[in-house]
Amino acid sequence: MSLLADAWAAYPVWLNPGDNAWQLTAATLVGLMSVPGLVVLYGGVMQKRWSVNSMMLAFVAFALVLIVWVLYAFDMAFGNPWHGLSSSGFFGNFIGQPGAVLNHTSEQGQALIPLVTTGPAFHFPQSTLVYFQFVFAAITPILMLGAVLGRINFKAWLLIVPLWCTCIYTVNAFLIWGGGWFAQQGAIDYSGGYVIHLSAGISGFVAAAVIGPRLARDREIDAPNNLLMVAAGAGLLWLGWNGFNGGDPYYAGADAAAAVLNTNLATAVAFLVWVIWDYSTGRKPSLIGSVNGMIVGLVAITPAAGFVNGYGAMAIGAIGASVVYLAYNYLSRVWPFRVVDDTLGVIYTHGFAGLVGGLLVGVFADSNMIVYLGLGKTPNFAAGGSLHLLKLQAEAGLWVILFSGIGTFVLLKVIGLLIPLRMSEKDMETGDLAIHGHEVYPSDVPSLGYAGAVSAITPPPPTPEPAG
């Protein structure tokens, strides 16, 4: 009898060990996309003197979001509607009621309403759901960070991350994923093309405009310091994305498998299409450019991964890569893009790609795919791609653009009253040594004897003079 009781305690009737194991694995894969994925990618793609700073900014964002997430932000994105002072319930369509999730994480995970993106009832604990959604929340400001590398004040970033997560991310997540207004209307975002990538692209672009450009010499000689780090980081992103999209059915079923395959199909096509565009325009296919193509494919398929068939996934990869390639190389010469120093082109690889992918859901959605989610046919999906669904996708995309852009602008202006958003010109001239006291490739004479540096080689003790 005690054995049965122990078994029930370990696996209550609502818990499916397979679903729970896959969800935790998928969450870990997504976490690896941030640390070390983006940490390594940023550390390699930036100039030598910005490598440590870029990695530190990403690491600290990951830690900050986790604390905010469990204290109150998870419930703001996925909890009960927060009506605030309004008895009409209007504000309950936009945000959840904040609350900590530290004392009931062994309970069954719950969704506010049965959304298209959640499939059947969750068969894993609340703690699994909290952690899975945390890694999505954490990667978003880290993606946004790519637009302002090389000049953002580290201390200001410590304020920006938790406040941006609180004021911007949770609202978009609740509206589209947590049962808010756009979810109720029928707009869909399978795994974050809008909530994560479009929001990060727009917010990063606005932040780059507000903070100002890098030093002229950083813009003119924008060479990566370690292409092996870039390749390693990019590889972690590609395979980590299996968890990013494969975990969003929230159970280890057929749709998870379809989403993983579609993710890789779209990415492979986008990567190759980017190379074809390079040859077609007389350019040499570079590693940095090809990695951009890979990222575009990953981002573009994200809002559609479990809603389209293989042909749709390949089409999204090809269209997304083509649109972003042209924008990256030609639209970048037009105002306002030419006057804003977006360090890693986040507005293109995440903003444009996320928007294109979200809109193409309205074109390539396959009504047969929804059956694999265990929900049967739903009204907005009954005919697959349609003008009605395309309209809903466009409205949700427009909201994310306007809200994320305006909200980020206001938030940065307020933070700027408290602490400088931009590091000093002196520190920008020196880089990592001025900010963190060490550099990525240390030497025994760091930066020609910078006073605040930590020498990598301890000088040997003086040789004693011979006696006599």
Side-chain angles (χ1 to χ4, degrees):
M1 192 69 178
S2 62
L3 290 176
L4 289 175
D6 290 343
W8 187 91
Y11 298 108
V13 66
W14 52 263
L15 191 148
N16 182 310
D19 287 351
N20 192 39
W22 167 238
Q23 211 63 39
L24 289 170
T25 301
T28 301
L29 286 170
V30 179
L32 287 170
M33 291 166 60
S34 292
V35 289
L38 286 172
V39 170
V40 172
L41 179 62
Y42 289 172
V45 79
M46 292 297 290
Q47 299 99 319
K48 171 189 171 183
R49 65 198 185 87
W50 291 118
S51 185
V52 173
N53 181 246
S54 302
M55 293 188 286
M56 279 288 292
L57 287 164
F59 266 121
V60 77
F62 196 80
L64 285 168
V65 174
L66 178 56
I67 303 304
V68 169
W69 196 244
V70 298
L71 289 180
Y72 61 85
F74 171 79
D75 272 359
M76 291 179 69
F78 296 96
N80 294 316
W82 190 18
H83 301 304
L85 300 177
S86 170
S87 60
S88 65
F90 175 78
F91 291 105
N93 291 322
F94 288 86
I95 194 67
Q97 185 172 351
V101 289
L102 295 170
N103 58 356
H104 57 277
T105 52
S106 62
E107 298 175 1
Q108 183 177 6
Q110 298 291 332
L112 178 60
I113 62 173
L115 300 178
V116 170
T117 48
T118 60
F122 297 152
H123 294 292
F124 47 77
Q126 180 85 340
S127 53
T128 301
L129 179 62
V130 170
Y131 186 75
F132 181 76
Q133 287 299 339
F134 150 66
V135 290
F136 284 83
I139 200 172
T140 311
I142 298 176
L143 294 173
M144 178 178 72
L145 170 66
V148 292
L149 289 173
R151 76 276 205 183
I152 189 168
N153 183 356
F154 188 82
K155 293 178 180 177
W157 184 242
L158 298 178
L159 284 178
I160 292 170
V161 170
L163 292 176
W164 189 89
C165 180
T166 301
C167 301
I168 309 298
Y169 183 84
T170 58
V171 175
N172 286 329
F174 185 83
L175 279 167
I176 297 175
W177 285 341
W181 173 261
F182 289 110
Q184 295 168 27
Q185 302 309 303
I188 51 179
D189 181 2
Y190 189 82
S191 201
Y194 283 173
V195 175
I196 295 172
H197 299 287
L198 179 57
S199 178
I202 295 297
S203 296
F205 188 76
V206 170
V210 172
I211 295 172
R214 291 168 290 167
L215 294 177
R217 66 186 176 111
D218 285 341
R219 301 196 303 274
E220 292 165 2
I221 307 176
D222 193 10
N225 75 85
N226 191 319
L227 286 176
L228 287 176
M229 289 175 66
V230 173
L236 284 166
L237 285 180
W238 187 333
L239 294 184
W241 228 284
N242 289 342
F244 204 96
N245 289 344
D248 262 312
Y250 295 105
Y251 73 112
D255 195 62
V260 168
L261 181 58
N262 283 342
T263 298
N264 286 268
L265 271 175
T267 305
V269 169
F271 181 94
L272 296 173
V273 166
W274 196 280
V275 172
I276 291 170
W277 272 110
D278 272 338
Y279 277 125
S280 300
T281 55
R283 297 177 173 88
K284 294 180 180 180
S286 69
L287 176 65
I288 297 295
S290 302
V291 165
N292 280 335
M294 178 207 82
I295 292 173
V296 168
L298 292 166
V299 172
I301 193 59
T302 290
F307 298 143
V308 299
N309 58 38
Y311 293 108
M314 296 174 74
I316 289 173
I319 295 170
S322 297
V323 170
V324 176
Y325 186 93
L326 295 174
Y328 190 88
N329 288 287
Y330 302 104
L331 189 62
S332 57
R333 304 173 185 176
V334 179
W335 188 92
F337 303 102
R338 64 179 173 83
V339 298
V340 175
D341 179 26
D342 182 344
T343 306
L344 301 183
V346 177
I347 187 63
Y348 306 106
T349 55
H350 294 278
F352 275 74
L355 179 60
V356 169
L359 293 175
L360 289 179
V361 172
V363 178
F364 294 111
D366 182 351
S367 60
N368 293 314
M369 295 298 294
I370 201 67
V371 176
Y372 294 125
L373 280 168
L375 297 177
K377 301 293 182 66
T378 63
N380 289 319
F381 227 78
S386 65
L387 287 176
H388 176 63
L389 182 55
L390 180 59
K391 174 177 174 289
L392 291 172
Q393 295 301 100
E395 291 172 350
L398 180 61
W399 162 268
V400 172
I401 291 171
L402 294 176
F403 176 72
S404 300
I406 296 171
T408 300
F409 178 83
V410 172
L411 185 63
L412 290 177
K413 287 296 185 181
V414 171
I415 294 174
L417 298 175
L418 304 174
I419 187 170
L421 300 174
R422 182 182 177 87
M423 68 176 66
S424 69
E425 296 293 316
K426 180 180 178 182
D427 286 350
M428 289 172 66
E429 289 287 349
T430 305
D432 287 341
L433 285 168
I435 306 157
H436 303 291
H438 58 102
E439 54 190 354
V440 68
Y441 305 118
S443 64
D444 57 340
V445 188
S447 191
L448 301 178
Y450 175 71
V454 177
S455 179
I457 300 178
T458 303
T463 304
E465 296 181 4

